[in-house]
Amino acid sequence: DQQVKQNSPSLSVQEGRISILNCDYTNSMFDYFLWYKKYPAEGPTFLISISSIKDKNEDGRFTVFLNKSAKHLSLHIVPSQPGDSAVYFCAARGTGANNLFFGTGTRLTVIP
Amino acid sequence: DVKVTQSSRYLVKRTGEKVFLECVQDMDHENMFWYRQDPGLGLRLIYFSYDVKMKEKGDIPEGYSVSREKKERFSLILESASTNQTSMYLCASRSGTARQKLFFGSGTQLSVL
């Protein structure tokens, strides 16, 4: 059963506009959330994270929002750049767990 | 920068063959992981290791085994490859003190014919 879901397999955005990638989870015990970015022929790389005690974390053009009551998080990229075109995975960790649960990924295409 | 190196970028094997996927990390990380990535399923954990000679099953360990004889090296073994093991395999490592920041290798695309 998929505990972390990314319901949009793909997203296209014009350069300079905002990209919003969404992620839903089912396990209320998750206490830490991460976003990874993956280019073709490369492994995923860490992008940004957020603890469950926060509702927002910002790093440059990237902001992650967490809505615990809705079990929903989102990644905002502003402004979007062609180099942001990649597959984005959200991931979640349970308290005390070693494992991360990954979503299925969203392919973002930023159109110049 | 952390470097996680997977020995092969592409592998083609036949059904029933024993397959070894090798992974080496250069940052003295305690924890190492093997994931597989499949379309529509995301990344799923096969096995992980938190110390030399220690291993734990992940979500989908069936048909796989692992070996960690040295801290820097974590091997994934397919005892008898099957076509449903055709996938992208990703190795990752993490410091024991880092909060789940995984460093991934570039992946091995395995095709089992």
Side-chain angles (χ1 to χ4, degrees):
Chain A
D1 223 10
Q2 199 77 23
Q3 297 194 54
V4 179
K5 298 179 183 179
Q6 294 176 257
N7 292 318
S8 298
S10 63
L11 174 69
S12 290
V13 172
Q14 288 290 135
E15 181 178 3
R17 304 293 292 268
I18 184 171
S19 296
I20 300 176
L21 294 90
N22 294 304
C23 180
D24 297 295
Y25 61 96
T26 57
N27 190 338
S28 57
M29 298 302 290
F30 287 149
D31 67 346
Y32 198 66
F33 303 88
L34 307 91
W35 285 93
Y36 280 82
K37 179 168 73 173
K38 186 181 184 301
Y39 292 118
E42 294 183 16
T45 54
F46 170 77
L47 187 58
I48 192 169
S49 62
I50 188 168
S51 165
S52 60
I53 62 173
K54 294 186 176 182
D55 55 19
K56 178 182 173 181
N57 189 27
E58 195 170 349
D59 183 3
R61 296 186 296 114
F62 303 91
T63 303
V64 56
F65 294 93
L66 176 62
N67 182 335
K68 285 195 296 294
S69 60
K71 295 192 182 69
H72 177 84
L73 67 156
S74 61
L75 174 68
H76 293 211
I77 307 173
V78 182
S80 301
Q81 299 174 353
D84 296 329
S85 297
V87 177
Y88 290 79
F89 291 97
C90 67
R93 186 197 79 153
T95 305
N98 271 308
N99 191 15
L100 283 179
F101 293 91
F102 282 86
T104 51
T106 297
R107 181 178 301 278
L108 173 66
T109 302
V110 180
I111 303 163
Chain B
D1 249 6
V2 176
K3 194 166 176 66
V4 180
T5 303
Q6 294 184 230
S7 54
S8 303
R9 184 73 186 95
Y10 298 98
L11 270 181
V12 180
K13 297 291 181 181
R14 297 218 172 266
T15 302
E17 278 193 75
K18 191 169 185 175
V19 181
F20 293 86
L21 302 183
E22 307 286 346
C23 176
V24 177
Q25 51 95 2
D26 66 356
M27 283 301 291
D28 203 37
H29 283 171
E30 293 84 358
N31 302 296
M32 297 188 74
F33 303 78
W34 276 106
Y35 288 87
R36 62 179 279 179
Q37 180 194 355
D38 298 290
L41 295 175
L43 278 70
R44 293 179 294 165
L45 181 66
I46 305 170
Y47 266 97
F48 67 96
S49 168
Y50 50 89
D51 203 350
V52 174
K53 297 192 185 294
M54 307 301 286
K55 61 185 180 184
E56 292 275 349
K57 291 180 180 179
D59 299 318
I60 50 165
E62 298 78 16
Y64 302 94
S65 61
V66 290
S67 171
R68 191 152 181 219
E69 296 296 318
K70 293 184 178 181
K71 192 174 186 181
E72 68 271 18
R73 186 180 296 270
F74 192 34
S75 303
L76 180 69
I77 303 155
L78 286 67
E79 296 289 344
S80 177
S82 63
T83 54
N84 64 13
Q85 292 179 310
T86 291
S87 186
M88 168 67 76
Y89 289 87
L90 292 161
C91 175
S93 74
R94 188 197 78 201
S95 165
T97 59
R99 198 167 179 193
Q100 298 291 345
K101 185 176 178 179
L102 290 173
F103 294 88
F104 284 87
S106 298
T108 296
Q109 179 62 53
L110 173 67
S111 297
V112 182
L113 306 177

